């Protein structure tokens, strides 16, 4: 993603103009949300070669709850962007040190980043390099920097804060699961009526039943999770 697209994401989050996205956030603390975002919502017309899942982001807020920066996690690289009016205030470096890097290291042993002066320009290069070195990244190649898990500034087991689903939302999700099961059932029926009962049509029918079962499994999970949180 480009700086322009990351800035657009932050601006849209602040304005509430997020209808075109599919966003699920998990707060790590007051200032950082871990987010899984579909920049474009999945549709029935998506090409089968389309990306399978959401992109991963860390969304950084200031004391007023305004989103001021984001870190796009590409696994083998990180792309961070700070809104121009909030640069030089330490939002990115502080959040990376205390929250984001420890969270990244829950799922990996090292983190690489690329800082290319030709691509981002001399001013952004100097700023990004300063952030990287302050965080403990070591230059490994011409444009690459690496941080090993053992060299992390602070290691905290923080998997995020739970957000309880409402009764209404659980009902909506049950209906959505039911729709997915019935849609697959229609596909299974078309295959069966076209080719007769086959091993594949039976496999699809089994999958329909498995998905359908989640209309009550999700309700059981929600109920038991609520009881656990009350203890």
């Amino acid at each position: 993603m480009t700086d322009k697209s990351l800035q657009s994401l932050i601006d849209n989050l602040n304005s509430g103009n997020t209808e075109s996205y599919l966003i699920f956030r998990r707060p790590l603390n007051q200032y950082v949300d871990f987010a899984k975002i579909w920049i474009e919502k999945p549709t029935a017309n998506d090409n089968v070669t389309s990306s399978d899942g959401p992109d991963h982001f860390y969304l950084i807020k200031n004391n007023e709850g305004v989103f001021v920066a984001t870190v796009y996690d590409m696994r083998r690289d990180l792309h961070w962007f700070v809104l121009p009016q909030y640069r030089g205030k330490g939002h990115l470096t502080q959040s990376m040190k205390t929250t984001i890097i420890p969270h990244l290291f829950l799922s990996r042993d090292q983190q690489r980043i690329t800082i290319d002066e030709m691509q981002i320009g001399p001013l952004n290069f100097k700023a990004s390099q300063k952030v990287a070195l302050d965080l403990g990244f070591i230059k490994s190649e011409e444009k690459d920097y690496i941080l090993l898990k053992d060299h992390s500034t602070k290691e905290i087991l923080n998997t995020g804060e739970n957000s309880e689903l409402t009764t209404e939302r659980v009902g909506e999700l049950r209906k959505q699961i039911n729709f997915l099961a019935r849609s697959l059932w229609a596909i299974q029926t078309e295959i069966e009526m076209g080719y007769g009962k086959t091993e594949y049509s039976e496999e699809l029918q089994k999958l329909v039943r498995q998905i359908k079962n989640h209309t009550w499994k999700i309700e059981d999970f929600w109920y038991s999770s609520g009881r656990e949180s009350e203890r």
Side-chain angles (χ1 to χ4, degrees), residues 128-147:
S128 290
Q129 187 182 58
K130 183 179 185 304
V131 170
L133 296 177
D134 286 347
L135 293 173
F137 281 87
I138 298 173
K139 192 170 185 179
S140 60
E141 297 178 18
E142 183 179 355
K143 303 172 185 176
D144 291 347
Y145 298 74
I146 187 170
L147 179 65

Side-chain angles (χ1 to χ4, degrees), residues 1-3 6 34 54-58 71-80 104 108 110-115 119:
M1 297 184 71
T2 64
D3 282 357
L6 292 178
F34 174 56
D55 292 314
H56 293 187
F57 296 86
Y58 294 91
V71 178
Y72 174 34
D73 177 19
M74 297 175 282
R75 190 79 186 183
R76 294 186 177 183
D77 200 355
L78 301 175
H79 183 181
W80 54 63
L104 288 169
R108 66 202 70 174
Q110 65 178 31
Q111 181 61 58
R112 290 181 177 273
I113 58 173
T114 301
I115 307 176
Q119 189 175 37

Side-chain angles (χ1 to χ4, degrees), residues 82-136:
V82 182
L83 291 177
Q85 63 269 38
Y86 295 104
R87 291 174 184 171
K89 300 180 184 297
H91 295 298
L92 175 63
T93 303
Q94 182 66 17
S95 294
M96 288 286 287
K97 280 183 178 179
T98 62
T99 308
I100 297 174
I101 288 177
H103 191 263
L104 288 169
F105 281 156
L106 294 177
S107 60
R108 66 202 70 174
D109 293 325
Q110 65 178 31
Q111 181 61 58
R112 290 181 177 273
I113 58 173
T114 301
I115 307 176
D116 187 347
E117 184 174 4
M118 295 294 293
Q119 189 175 37
I120 64 177
L123 291 179
N124 287 333
F125 171 77
K126 288 182 179 180
S128 290
Q129 187 182 58
K130 183 179 185 304
V131 170
L133 296 177
D134 286 347
L135 293 173

Side-chain angles (χ1 to χ4, degrees), residues 138-164:
I138 298 173
K139 192 170 185 179
S140 60
E141 297 178 18
E142 183 179 355
K143 303 172 185 176
D144 291 347
Y145 298 74
I146 187 170
L147 179 65
L148 301 178
K149 186 172 184 177
D150 290 342
H151 297 164
S152 176
T153 304
K154 193 173 185 180
E155 188 167 337
I156 303 174
L157 184 61
N158 179 7
T159 59
E161 303 168 10
N162 291 343
S163 300
E164 296 293 330

